[in-house]
Amino acid sequence: MIKLTFSLLFLNLLLAFTSTSGDWELKKEEEGIRIYTGDKDAGIKKIKIETSINYPASNVLEILKDKEKYTNWVYKCSEAKLLKKVNENEYYHYQMTSAPWPIQDRDMIVHLKISENKSTGEYTLTGMGVPDYLPERSGRVRIKHYQTLWKITPITQNSCQVIYEMRVDPSGAIPAWLYNLGSTEGPLITAQNLRKEVEKRFH
């Protein structure tokens, strides 16, 4: 049962965090993907992913903006949809994470903003949970506290570094120690899947 419970622990990552001060501790490194944890906030650790992708930064950005396809690559994401497009650089989207019985599924609404550094070609995406944007749905626990940061920095014309940071409180009856215990598997799978999704789309 504990192993099944871990499938909930990252609540899709996908999307998680505005960076704060504090040291990062490397927890796992595999296939050029590095997973870090940071200082705890109310018992919940921060997570950071660092990796590189052999495609242009603009390709990775396109994948991140395509909310309807998050179910293809975000860990345990079972539903994702765009709610409102304010402009090309600002969105509201809905996301749900499936959980094993008897744990209830989690969902969240994220307000995402995108900025570009014209001189370096770096893209920054920041997301903040807005739990009251839609009424809560029966049978799902609404995530109340969620922050995310993506940075996509060109290395060459056809490769980029991707950094992803997150902090999320899963809400409901999941103790912080259990959430923290499994905090490398979900980010690793998400990073692996992101690479595959970029290659599939742009190969």
Side-chain angles (χ1 to χ4, degrees):
M1 186 61 186
I2 290 178
K3 184 176 181 180
L4 288 175
T5 303
F6 286 169
S7 66
L8 175 66
L9 300 183
F10 307 102
L11 308 169
N12 312 328
L13 306 187
L14 262 109
L15 306 151
F17 178 27
T18 42
S19 183
T20 60
S21 60
D23 296 331
W24 292 101
E25 180 181 357
L26 180 64
K27 287 293 187 179
K28 190 176 185 68
E29 185 169 3
E30 185 174 323
E31 300 177 6
I33 301 167
R34 293 173 296 280
I35 310 296
Y36 299 84
T37 61
D39 296 336
K40 295 181 182 180
D41 181 8
I44 302 298
K45 286 183 180 178
K46 300 183 300 184
I47 303 295
K48 180 167 73 170
I49 303 171
E50 291 184 356
T51 191
S52 59
I53 295 179
N54 292 323
Y55 283 86
S58 59
N59 289 169
V60 178
L61 177 66
E62 186 171 331
I63 297 295
L64 297 181
K65 290 172 68 173
D66 190 358
K67 304 304 177 186
E68 308 289 339
K69 300 292 180 60
Y70 272 31
T71 53
N72 291 352
W73 61 275
V74 175
Y75 184 65
K76 297 297 180 182
C77 179
S78 56
E79 184 179 343
K81 59 184 177 182
L82 177 67
L83 298 175
K84 180 180 180 181
K85 180 179 178 180
V86 180
N87 53 51
E88 287 298 326
N89 297 309
E90 185 176 357
Y91 303 82
Y92 290 84
H93 70 271
Y94 175 87
Q95 207 170 316
M96 188 184 83
T97 297
S98 292
W101 184 89
I103 300 171
Q104 288 184 299
D105 296 339
R106 261 58 178 176
D107 70 358
M108 61 185 172
I109 297 97
V110 181
H111 182 197
L112 183 72
K113 293 184 177 181
I114 303 167
S115 62
E116 179 185 3
N117 185 320
K118 298 291 187 180
S119 62
T120 64
E122 179 182 86
Y123 299 102
T124 300
L125 296 81
T126 56
M128 181 71 68
V130 282
D132 298 328
Y133 189 86
L134 291 177
E136 295 188 22
R137 299 173 64 174
S138 176
R140 302 178 183 183
V141 175
R142 177 63 48 83
I143 293 174
K144 300 291 196 286
H145 304 289
Y146 181 79
Q147 294 174 286
T148 185
L149 169 70
W150 290 90
K151 283 192 176 181
I152 313 166
T153 306
I155 300 173
T156 68
Q157 186 175 355
N158 294 306
S159 65
C160 61
Q161 180 191 51
V162 178
I163 296 177
Y164 168 64
E165 299 181 20
M166 84 133 173
R167 181 172 60 213
V168 58
D169 181 347
S171 304
I174 300 179
W177 68 265
L178 182 57
Y179 177 96
N180 292 327
L181 189 61
S183 58
T184 58
E185 180 187 3
L188 177 62
I189 293 173
T190 293
Q192 291 169 332
N193 288 346
L194 175 59
R195 283 178 171 177
K196 293 174 184 176
E197 185 71 11
V198 175
E199 183 174 4
K200 182 174 69 174
R201 188 86 61 93
F202 298 104
H203 181 64

